[in-house]
Each structure stands twice: as C-alpha cells, then as structure tokens.
Amino acid sequence: MKKEASGDAVDMIIGQWRRERPDLDVAPMATIGRIKRCSALLRRRLDETFSAFGMSGWEFDVLATLRRSGAPYSLTPTALFSSLMVTSGTMTHRMQRLEAAGWVRRVPNREDARSMLVQLSEAGLELIDRAVAAHVENERAILAPLDAAALAALDAGLIRLLATLESGDA
C-alpha cells in the first residue's frame, strides 16, 4: 500500500473514501484504521523478540501469565484460559504443546484433589525471565520516539477507549 507524501497509509485510504463517498464522515475510520495498523505492526515487532527465544506470542502470554501469578507460578486451567481470553479447548491444545516443550507441567491441586494446576517448570521459569526482560526493552525501544507528554496523552486516550469498549457502551 503506497502512502501519500503528506501522511501515512491510512490517509490514502481515507482520501479514497472521501473521493468515493463524500457524503460520509469517515473520520472514525481514520482513528480505528490507525489503531488496527499499529496493532499489526506492533505484533510483528513483538513476535521478533519472542522468536529470538524460540517461542510464539501465545506461548509468551501463557508463560508470562504463570510467572506474574507469583510463586509457585501455577494456576488452574480455568483461571489461565480466562486470563488469556481463549477457550478451554484452545487452552488444552496449548498446554500439551507447552508440556512437550518442557516449559510447564501439570501438578495436583492441593486445594482440590479433583483438579490439576498448570505450573511453570524450572526451564519455563528461566525462559520467561529472560524473555520478559527482552520484551520490556523491545517495548521501550518501540516507544522511544515519543516524548513523555505524547506517551501520557496516548495512554490516557487508550485508557478511556478501553474502558468504553470493555463496558460495552461502544
């Protein structure tokens, strides 16, 4: 997609819509388009870091969720898939892959003998500790071109947008 000399790739799309449908106010399309484009570009940049550790984005997310849960770095499968916003079937498949890689193990739940917990293995803990440090530095590098005021304004706007979307009012 060729971008206009005076703007970004989204400006070209907005210009086309304004030409083809001058009756529509396509300003919201510009904002949402930029959010979507940022998301796709961010995903690519984040995945490069995860790949350097031999993992995908979803693997990082599972290991990071377990790590930030605190020692002993274990959660019920339900708590894990709820936190990651995936289905139980998806979580089962992912657990099998993570177990095969040696990054997690299933352990008995001391609070409920009928269930198991998903727990980081020593290898998983070591991996996620290295990967999360690199991930934070990658995020810092991505945001480095923005000054403190721009970052604060961006964060404030995203907080409001997320609250609106999560409340279902949007």
Side-chain angles (χ1 to χ4, degrees):
M1 179 178 334
K2 184 180 173 190
K3 62 183 188 175
E4 288 186 2
S6 63
D8 59 29
V10 175
D11 284 332
M12 181 191 72
I13 294 166
I14 296 305
Q16 291 170 329
W17 277 117
R18 285 186 175 137
R19 182 189 69 234
E20 295 300 316
R21 290 292 309 269
D23 58 308
L24 290 178
D25 174 10
V26 294
M29 192 181 283
T31 303
I32 299 296
R34 285 189 177 91
I35 291 170
K36 288 174 60 178
R37 186 147 170 77
C38 284
S39 177
L41 293 169
L42 282 169
R43 176 58 42 209
R44 217 179 290 157
R45 295 271 304 266
L46 298 178
D47 285 347
E48 289 172 7
T49 297
F50 304 145
S51 180
F53 291 89
M55 69 174 82
S56 66
W58 72 260
E59 289 167 320
F60 176 88
D61 289 344
V62 173
L63 298 181
T65 300
L66 289 168
R67 177 62 174 96
R68 71 174 188 262
S69 74
Y73 315 115
S74 59
L75 292 169
T76 65
T78 301
L80 195 51
F81 78 72
S82 296
S83 174
L84 295 166
M85 296 181 287
V86 297
T87 66
S88 61
T90 298
M91 196 73 243
T92 298
H93 173 71
R94 289 180 177 184
M95 285 306 97
Q96 291 168 344
R97 290 192 47 192
L98 292 169
E99 273 186 302
W103 296 338
V104 301
R105 61 179 165 253
R106 294 171 208 237
V107 297
N109 186 344
R110 291 182 186 168
E111 295 176 18
D112 182 356
R114 298 167 297 165
S115 69
M116 301 290 281
L117 297 172
V118 177
Q119 183 178 54
L120 278 177
S121 67
E122 286 183 34
L125 178 60
E126 185 273 329
L127 175 66
I128 194 58
D129 277 346
R130 287 186 303 115
V132 78
H135 173 62
V136 170
E137 284 310 308
N138 185 36
E139 289 180 324
R140 189 179 323 284
I142 289 167
L143 297 173
L146 302 177
D147 64 30
L151 279 173
L154 176 60
D155 200 40
L158 290 171
I159 287 168
R160 288 191 303 275
L161 177 60
L162 184 58
T164 300
L165 292 170
E166 288 181 338
S167 74
D169 291 344

